[in-house]
Amino acid sequence: MGMQYDVKQGHLNQSGFFVLGRNRVKGVSFFGAGGDLVLFDTTTAPVTSGVTYERAATLVTVTKTAHGLNTGDVVGIHFNLASGVGATDGNYPITRLTANTFTLTDINSGTVANTATAVYVSGANRWLMTYETQATDEYQNAPIVPGEGVLAVNGIYAYMVDIDSAQIYYG
C-alpha cells in the first residue's frame, strides 16, 4: 500500500468537532497540564452535563436524568478520574435500570465513589481514544497512532478538559 498524500489537519482550543464524516485519525498532538483529551466518533456532542457514576468491582452504575437509553444500547464513554481512580473508557452495551440510571460491565475491577463524572455518546456513535496528562506536563504531546490510523465513520469530536490546544491529522 502506498503512502496517503491527502492527510489534513484540524485544530481546536476547546471541545468541538475536528471534522464530520468518515475519516481515519492518523496522528494527534496536544498541550495542557493535568487534562484530558478524549476523541469520540460522533455526529453530536457528547452528553456532559449531570452524568455521574460509581463502580463496585466490575459493575458501573451511571446516573443521568432522563437518559433515554434502553437495555442493549451501546454507549461510548469516558470516565473522569476520582481521587486518581476511574472506570475503563470504552464502548459498552448497557442495562437500563431506571429512566435515570443504567449499568455496564467494566473490563477491569475497582471501586469508585458516586461523586465521579462521566461523558458519553450513544447510538451509532462511539468512543475512540483517551489521552491524559499529569499536572506537571508542560510539553507538546504527540503519541503515535498505529497502522493506518483509527477509523471514525461519523465524525471526530474532541472533548477537552484542561487542554490548551489539540491537533489531529486525518484522512
Side-chain angles (χ1 to χ4, degrees), residues 16-100:
F17 286 97
F18 279 116
V19 64
L20 290 173
R22 183 184 175 96
N23 285 283
R24 287 188 181 274
V25 177
K26 302 286 190 169
V28 178
S29 68
F30 54 94
F31 174 81
D36 296 338
L37 172 64
V38 184
L39 298 184
F40 290 96
D41 174 7
T42 184
T43 56
T44 59
V47 177
T48 60
S49 178
V51 182
T52 60
Y53 77 98
E54 59 185 64
R55 180 172 83 173
T58 60
L59 183 67
V60 178
T61 303
V62 179
T63 302
K64 169 62 179 158
T65 301
H67 58 68
L69 299 170
N70 294 304
T71 296
D73 288 350
V74 174
V75 296
I77 193 163
H78 164 67
F79 298 100
N80 293 309
L81 297 179
S83 301
V85 296
T88 309
D89 293 359
N91 298 294
Y92 296 97
I94 63 106
T95 300
R96 178 189 171 121
L97 295 182
T98 71
N100 301 325

Side-chain angles (χ1 to χ4, degrees), residues 89-159:
D89 293 359
N91 298 294
Y92 296 97
I94 63 106
T95 300
R96 178 189 171 121
L97 295 182
T98 71
N100 301 325
T101 58
F102 61 87
T103 61
L104 57 89
T105 302
D106 194 330
I107 60 174
N108 295 298
S109 184
T111 302
V112 178
N114 64 358
T115 57
T117 59
V119 177
Y120 69 88
V121 295
S122 60
N125 305 310
R126 65 190 181 106
W127 167 86
L128 289 177
M129 60 186 80
T130 299
Y131 296 104
E132 298 168 337
T133 62
Q134 299 299 316
T136 57
D137 188 338
E138 297 182 11
Y139 303 97
Q140 186 73 21
N141 295 279
I144 295 172
V145 177
E148 295 179 18
V150 178
L151 179 63
V153 296
N154 301 303
I156 303 167
Y157 184 95
Y159 170 71

